[in-house]
Amino acid sequence: MADETIAAAAIRWFDTNARDLPWRHPEAGAWAILVSEIMLQQTPVTRVLPAWEAWLDRWPTPGALAADEPGEAIRMWGRLGYPRRALRLHECAVAIVARHDGRVPNDLDALLALPGVGSYTARAVAAFAYHQRQAVVDTNVRRFVARAVAGAADAGPTTRPADLDATAALLPSEPAVAARASAAFMEIGAIVCTARAPRCAICPVTDRCAWRAAGRPSLDGPSRRPQTYAGTDRQVRGLLLAVLRESDAAVPRARLDVVWADPVQRDRALGGLIEDGLVDPLPGNLFTLPRGDR
Ligand code: SF4
């Protein structure tokens, strides 16, 4: 429909094409949505699904997680990557219990004040759990809006206030409809308006997309470089943490030393884990996941 707004077209498409993801179910609740949003940062849906289900089976409420040790959160995080998210999620649960009686707050400022909850996550929870009118802007939404509205090939490497404003301008005034539009923009950005191969032929806004109308001019700004993993400190940190996750007892340094041959890089990675609070050093050259101060 040519006179449809971008939001209306996106919602119409979303109603019949959205992936059936459990955190989108009406009964999911704010805690489940918050956990999903933190897990989904830089991690594909297929890897998040089993981890999310296991996490909520074990800790169905913030209070349940807050009552457990932070090291257990890191253990349950498994191989999702960027394990500081697990620690921050534990801190977030503790703060929700202390400040909000164990309920995820619905106020944007209160959400933004929680540990580990940034602008994107706070707005996502406010929109998807509490049906508020919030611009929810991740990398995919930025790219979709940059193309459809600004006619640019991509949105550039960092989120700017202008990205929030550009997305907010597309949202309908009715909060629940705006929240649905935000979910639709995210889905289109994730599976239709992809970075490398936008599927314009099936896109619900193809007849009003500025980038397509301009003949899909190529990217002329700075583009993101693909991230590498093999051989990085991130890989070494992951190997060290895997040893600790698999052990219920404290681990001697000798068991960590075998995971990586380069002692300088290994020590640097271990030092970084300790500095980040992901590993606790104990007397006797032993190491463990953090046990908290309970
Ligand atoms: S028409 Fe193509 S470039 Fe434009 S928003 Fe849709 S998928 Fe993206």
Side-chain angles (χ1 to χ4, degrees), residues 28 74 130:
I74 297 166
Y130 297 117

Side-chain angles (χ1 to χ4, degrees), residues 144 147-148 192-193 198-200 203 205-206 209 211-212 216:
F144 166 65
R147 287 174 177 166
V192 178
C193 194
R199 302 160 70 199
C200 303
C203 178
V205 306
T206 194
C209 172
W211 188 54
R212 187 167 174 274
R216 299 176 37 145

Side-chain angles (χ1 to χ4, degrees), residues 43-105:
T43 312
V45 164
T46 49
R47 288 179 59 204
V48 166
L49 273 168
W52 178 86
E53 283 169 3
W55 189 278
L56 288 162
D57 275 351
R58 180 164 177 182
W59 298 307
T61 63
L65 176 57
D68 218 331
E69 293 176 346
E72 288 306 299
I74 297 166
R75 196 189 306 278
M76 281 292 284
W77 200 256
R79 296 184 175 274
L80 275 183
Y82 301 101
R84 270 179 288 188
R85 291 181 293 173
L87 205 53
R88 298 295 275 166
L89 193 46
H90 185 275
E91 291 167 12
C92 180
V94 170
I96 290 170
V97 169
R99 299 175 200 168
H100 305 289
D101 202 23
R103 287 175 51 84
V104 177

